[in-house]
């Protein structure tokens, strides 16, 4: 009988300490909310810029096709994360400038080559066409 009582005692102690262990255990790391928010915000910017690029006459049809293909083959989150990574690896590029975001995203998507000269106005799909 003493053996049975020790098992019951151990089991009851285990149950009694389980809630305490759950309360004192470190919380699961919260998702990197700020980074996720930046990724989603940049994804919206990229989608908007790619959509505006479709209306610009001075962006080559090949580039437009590559942008659409990239959007079709990848999620906006994936494109945004890759763009964010490229921007982080190149701190000399102003990541707050929509033109730079467009150019880097277009390079990430393979629609442009890095260092390729841009057509007149092709680098600024963020500008309102009516203001040009």
């Amino acid at each position: 009988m003493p053996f049975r009582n020790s098992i019951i005692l151990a089991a009851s102690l285990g149950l009694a300490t389980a809630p305490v262990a759950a309360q004192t255990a470190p919380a699961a790391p919260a998702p990197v909310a700020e980074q996720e928010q930046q990724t989603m915000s940049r994804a919206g910017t990229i989608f908007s810029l790619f959509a505006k690029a479709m209306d610009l006459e001075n962006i080559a049809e090949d580039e437009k096709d590559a942008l659409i293909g990239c959007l079709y083959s990848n999620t906006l989150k994936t494109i945004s994360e890759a763009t964010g990574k490229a921007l982080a690896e190149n701190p000399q590029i102003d990541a707050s400038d929509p033109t730079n975001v467009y150019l880097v995203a277009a390079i990430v998507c393979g629609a442009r080559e890095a260092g390729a000269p841009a057509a007149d106005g092709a680098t600024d799909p963020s500008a309102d066409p009516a203001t040009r």
Side-chain angles (χ1 to χ4, degrees), residues 32-84:
V32 186
E34 185 178 329
Q35 184 177 9
E36 195 68 27
Q37 184 178 10
Q38 289 174 347
T39 298
M40 296 314 292
S41 176
R42 189 174 39 252
T45 300
I46 290 169
F47 182 76
S48 176
L49 294 170
F50 281 14
K52 287 179 183 179
M54 295 303 124
D55 292 335
L56 296 177
E57 293 177 11
N58 51 351
I59 292 184
E61 288 299 317
D62 290 346
E63 183 172 336
K64 292 178 184 181
D65 291 344
L67 295 176
I68 295 297
C70 184
L71 286 171
Y72 183 76
S73 300
N74 302 285
T75 65
L76 278 169
K77 182 178 178 182
T78 302
I79 297 168
S80 178
E81 287 172 342
T83 301

Side-chain angles (χ1 to χ4, degrees), residues 10-24:
S12 64
L13 287 175
L15 293 175
T17 59
V20 173
Q23 292 173 1
T24 59

Side-chain angles (χ1 to χ4, degrees), residues 82-126:
T83 301
K85 182 179 177 188
L87 288 167
E89 290 173 355
N90 296 286
Q92 71 278 13
I93 299 174
D94 180 9
S96 65
D97 183 354
T99 300
N100 293 338
V101 173
Y102 171 79
L103 290 173
V104 172
I107 291 167
V108 164
C109 282
R112 285 183 175 254
E113 290 187 31
D120 291 336
T123 61
D124 195 4
S126 63

